[in-house]
């Protein structure tokens, strides 16, 4: 989490610049080598080390950063899952705002130099992360390439928008904040003019099927959805749903994600 180029000079990008916006997606994992092998087979990713330590990796597609793996599921006694992280000016304050509004704190905030992180859940049980501090090297490349997109499936999109808006300071008058738009039955989040997340209603809190319960779904752009689905099954994963443009997959440890031939923004 380091530098990005500007027209004048290199500048450290921090969560003060893009507060409230999704700044990364990460998978909590139990077994780092096994996880790397699965996602290399399914998505063709390569890997590099991360500043946060030997339990962390950054996935690369065509040399551009895509996502992270944090092999901390056993250490933190938490489920294996894909989680979006949002930039915040203060992890402590954001976590406190979430708890004040009926959310819960699963982990943290704790220090991971050069920043602080926490894993939280909203009041409907959807898990998300927050990050305070410097963003990783090539973060601007990740933002521009937009290899991943996040969508919240929740009980009531408008109620969730109020929760996240208050926790993450959406629609703030401060420079660098996110805009919230209501388009039909969806809530659309924009950062720097780009659509960066969508929130939709219809999830059921008590549903036994995890694809129906409230959750943040991470979507990855791929060239061949069918090939990814076949590779997932061949390497111990499963296909939860599929059409010509999208497939909802589950890795061998149970983490759910979507591959799509185009990321609708």
């Amino acid at each position: 989490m380091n530098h990005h180029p500007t027209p004048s000079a290199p500048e450290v990008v921090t969560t003060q610049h893009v507060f409230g916006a999704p700044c990364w997606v990460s998978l909590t994992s139990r077994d780092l080598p096994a996880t790397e092998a699965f996602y290399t087979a399914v998505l063709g990713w390569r890997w590099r080390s991360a500043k946060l330590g030997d339990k962390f990796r950054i996935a690369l597609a065509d040399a551009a950063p895509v996502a992270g793996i944090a092999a901390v599921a056993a250490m933190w006694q938490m489920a294996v899952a894909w989680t979006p992280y949002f930039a915040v000016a203060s992890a402590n304050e954001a976590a406190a705002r979430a708890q004040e509004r009926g959310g819960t704190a699963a982990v943290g905030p704790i220090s991971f130099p050069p920043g602080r992180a926490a894993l939280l859940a909203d009041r409907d049980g959807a898990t998300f992360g927050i990050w305070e501090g410097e963003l990783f090297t090539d973060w601007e490349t990740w933002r521009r390439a937009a290899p991943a997109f996040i969508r919240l499936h929740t009980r009531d999109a408008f109620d969730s928008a109020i929760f996240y808006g208050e926790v993450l300071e959406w629609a703030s008058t401060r420079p660098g904040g996110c805009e919230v738009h209501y388009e039909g039955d969806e809530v659309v989040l924009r950062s720097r003019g780009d659509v960066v997340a969508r929130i939709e209603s219809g999830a059921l809190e008590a549903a036994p099927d995890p694809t129906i319960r409230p959750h943040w779904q991470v979507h990855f752009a791929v060239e061949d959805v069918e090939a990814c689905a076949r590779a997932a099954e061949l390497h111990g994963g499963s296909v939860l749903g599929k059409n010509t443009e999208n497939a909802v997959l589950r890795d061998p440890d149970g983490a759910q994600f979507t591959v799509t031939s185009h990321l609708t923004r």
Side-chain angles (χ1 to χ4, degrees):
M1 300 183 177
N2 209 344
H3 296 81
H4 79 92
T6 67
S8 55
E11 177 187 355
V12 174
V13 182
T14 74
T15 54
Q16 296 282 349
H17 293 74
V18 291
F19 69 92
C23 62
W24 193 229
V25 293
S26 184
L27 171 66
T28 50
S29 165
R30 295 188 185 92
D31 185 328
L32 195 56
T35 300
E36 288 182 351
F38 174 83
Y39 285 95
T40 295
V42 174
L43 297 174
W45 289 348
R46 296 295 179 262
W47 307 92
R48 78 176 187 211
S49 59
K51 282 189 175 181
L52 297 179
D54 58 7
K55 292 184 179 294
F56 298 84
R57 295 288 188 276
I58 292 177
L60 305 173
D62 297 326
V66 180
I69 292 180
V72 294
M75 180 173 66
W76 289 352
Q77 297 184 335
M78 59 186 299
V80 171
W82 279 102
T83 304
Y85 278 76
F86 293 85
V88 295
S90 168
N92 285 351
E93 292 177 10
R97 287 194 296 267
Q99 291 174 295
E100 289 165 1
R101 288 157 178 80
T104 56
V107 177
I110 55 180
S111 293
F112 281 110
R116 288 172 59 74
L119 281 174
L120 311 174
D122 66 24
R123 50 191 171 218
D124 289 320
T127 301
F128 65 103
I130 54 174
W131 173 262
E132 169 201 347
E134 293 181 22
L135 300 177
F136 66 93
T137 303
D138 295 338
W139 180 81
E140 277 287 358
T141 301
W142 178 80
R143 188 187 73 82
R144 288 192 302 269
F149 185 72
I150 60 172
R151 182 183 291 268
L152 176 61
H153 302 271
T154 189
R155 175 185 53 81
D156 184 317
F158 303 105
D159 181 68
S160 289
I162 292 171
F163 172 85
Y164 284 96
E166 292 176 344
V167 171
L168 301 174
E169 298 184 278
W170 291 349
S172 168
T173 57
R174 290 170 49 203
C178 293
E179 302 174 1
V180 177
H181 299 266
Y182 298 89
E183 299 179 3
D185 295 331
E186 286 191 332
V187 176
V188 179
L189 183 69
R190 284 185 169 86
S191 174
R192 301 183 180 182
D194 297 324
V195 176
V196 293
R198 291 181 181 268
I199 302 175
E200 64 180 17
S201 302
L204 301 175
E205 291 180 72
D209 184 347
T211 65
I212 299 174
R213 292 198 297 267
H215 68 284
W216 282 98
Q217 185 77 356
V218 178
H219 300 244
F220 296 108
V222 299
E223 292 184 0
D224 190 332
V225 169
E226 180 63 36
C228 290
R230 289 196 304 269
E233 291 182 315
L234 285 171
H235 292 84
S238 55
V239 178
L240 303 181
K242 184 177 64 174
N243 57 38
T244 57
E245 296 184 342
N246 305 280
V248 181
L249 308 179
R250 181 180 287 153
D251 72 18
D253 274 335
Q256 178 183 309
F257 61 103
T258 296
V259 293
T260 180
S261 58
H262 67 283
L263 290 180
T264 302
R265 281 172 147 54

